[in-house]
Amino acid sequence: MRIQKSFAQAAGTLYLVPTPIGNLEDMTFRAVKTLQTVELIASEDTRNTQKLLNHFEVKTPQKSLHEHNYNERIPELLTFLKNGNSIAQVSDAGMPSISDPGHELVVACIEENIPVVALPGATAGMTALIASGLAPQPFYFYGFLQRKKSTQKKELTELKNQTATLIFYESPHRVKETVKNILEVFGNREVVVCRELTKLYEEYLRGTAEELLDYLSEHSLKGECCLLVSGAVEIEVDEVFTGSLKEQVELLIEEGQAPKEAIKTVAKRHDLKKQDVYKEYHEL
C-alpha cells in the first residue's frame, strides 16, 4: 500500500507532460511552465522535442529515453530525481506511455516512492472517439494491432465479443488490410477512420466496414490513423459439447447425419483429424 501526496514537495518529481499531436496550440500553459521549470526533460526523440522547445522558448536540457535505451537510462534518471531534481517526460506526440515509451520509468519511480504527476492534455484516442459518432462509453483502447495477418486476426477474434467501442492506432499503409481483417472477423460493423488529427487536413471517414474497404481500395491515406469500431451487439457464445467423441457421433447420426458426415462434423468442432474420431467411434 502506497499513498502519494503529489504536491507535498516541489522537487524530485517525475512529471508526465503530453505534447501536441499536431496543432502546437494544443500545448497547455501548465505543460509549457512545467517544461521550463524542471531540471531535465526525458524525451523519446531529443531532435523532435527540440523543435517544440524552440517554439515555446524552453531552454531546459534534454536526455533521450526510448525503447532502446531505457534499461541503461532509468537508473541514471532515478539518481537524478533522488537528488531533489525534477524531470518532465515527453513522447514525440500525445501522452507518454500510450503506445509510446514511458511506462518503465513510471513503474521504477513508484517502486522508489518518487512522486509521479501526470498533466492532462492531447491524446489521439479520446479526441477521435468523442467526434466519431460511435458510443463514447464504454470504450476499449487497444493501441496498435500486430502487423502479421494471422496474429492480427487472432487478436481481433479475442476482441470480437467486446461490447465497448474499440480504439486502435494504425499506420496509413496498413489501415486497408486492418479494415479487411475487421470485416472478416467482426462482420460489417460501423467503422470510423480519423487521420491527421488536429492538423489542417484532419479527416473523418465514417461508414460500415464494407463501405470503408471500398473507399480504401480506391484512395490511399496519409498521416497516422485512429481506427474506431463499434462494439458487438450480439455476443457469440462457444457451443459446449458433452459426451465422448463416440457419443457425439452417435447423436449426430440419430439426428439424421450419415456416419461419415457425423465423424467429419465432430472432428471439425474439436479441431481433430477425422481418422482420430473414426478410430474412437469404431473403438479401434
Side-chain angles (χ1 to χ4, degrees):
M1 176 69 187
R2 294 185 177 92
I3 299 175
Q4 173 183 308
K5 301 291 186 181
S6 296
F7 302 106
Q9 59 184 48
T13 298
L14 174 66
Y15 293 95
L16 307 178
V17 181
T19 55
I21 56 178
N23 193 323
L24 290 179
E25 293 183 0
D26 292 332
M27 193 71 172
T28 68
F29 291 112
R30 184 184 175 198
V32 174
K33 183 178 179 181
T34 300
L35 294 179
Q36 290 172 334
T37 54
V38 295
E39 282 74 30
L40 182 68
I41 298 172
S43 308
E44 177 182 1
D45 185 329
T46 55
R47 294 166 299 179
N48 184 72
T49 300
Q50 192 60 52
K51 299 174 185 177
L52 180 71
L53 301 183
N54 291 342
H55 181 83
F56 290 104
E57 300 181 350
V58 175
K59 307 298 183 183
T60 307
Q62 299 184 73
K63 280 198 175 179
S64 64
L65 177 66
H66 48 71
E67 60 181 336
H68 303 296
N69 75 348
Y70 69 85
N71 283 324
E72 299 79 21
R73 186 71 80 196
I74 285 178
E76 179 185 343
L77 297 177
L78 291 177
T79 299
F80 191 78
L81 287 159
K82 289 177 182 178
N83 288 335
N85 302 295
S86 289
I87 296 175
Q89 182 178 12
V90 300
S91 62
D92 286 347
M95 287 281 185
S97 297
I98 303 297
S99 295
D100 280 320
H103 178 64
E104 293 82 6
L105 180 57
V106 170
V107 173
C109 286
I110 292 172
E111 287 296 321
E112 296 292 335
N113 291 315
I114 296 170
V116 179
V117 176
L119 277 62
T123 178
M126 297 300 95
T127 304
L129 174 64
I130 60 174
S132 68
L134 302 180
Q137 55 188 23
F139 65 84
Y140 186 111
F141 175 80
Y142 195 85
F144 285 97
L145 290 159
Q146 294 294 317
R147 298 184 183 187
K148 188 177 179 181
K149 181 177 180 180
S150 59
T151 309
Q152 185 181 104
K153 291 182 76 171
K154 182 179 179 181
E155 288 180 293
L156 291 172
T157 300
E158 293 173 352
L159 295 168
K160 186 175 182 179
N161 284 335
Q162 273 287 344
T163 57
T165 298
L166 300 169
I167 305 174
F168 304 101
Y169 289 162
E170 190 53 279
S171 159
H173 310 295
R174 296 193 298 268
V175 69
K176 176 184 172 183
E177 287 304 311
T178 299
V179 172
K180 182 179 179 180
N181 291 338
I182 285 171
L183 178 60
E184 289 181 17
V185 177
F186 290 173
N188 196 26
R189 294 194 197 174
E190 291 295 316
V191 178
V192 177
V193 175
C194 178
R195 68 176 192 90
E196 295 288 81
L197 265 173
T198 77
K199 300 177 184 177
L200 181 63
Y201 296 105
E202 176 179 298
E203 181 177 52
Y204 283 84
L205 306 174
R206 302 180 177 95
T208 64
E210 288 182 350
E211 290 170 339
L212 263 294
L213 191 57
D214 287 342
Y215 179 86
L216 295 172
S217 297
E218 299 180 1
H219 301 82
S220 59
L221 301 183
K222 293 182 179 181
E224 290 299 317
C225 297
C226 196
L227 178 62
L228 303 99
V229 184
S230 61
V233 176
E234 295 182 2
I235 297 177
E236 293 185 5
V237 180
D238 292 335
E239 189 174 356
V240 178
F241 301 102
T242 59
S244 67
L245 296 178
K246 177 179 173 66
E247 290 171 338
Q248 292 179 47
V249 172
E250 290 173 340
L251 181 61
L252 291 173
I253 293 173
E254 290 177 9
E255 293 174 354
Q257 285 193 25
K260 184 177 179 180
E261 189 64 27
I263 289 171
K264 182 179 178 181
T265 299
V266 173
K268 185 176 180 180
R269 70 171 56 154
H270 293 288
D271 196 22
L272 296 171
K273 293 181 179 179
K274 288 184 291 183
Q275 297 92 321
D276 294 336
V277 178
Y278 179 88
K279 291 177 182 178
E280 183 78 16
Y281 174 64
H282 290 286
E283 298 181 350
L284 298 176

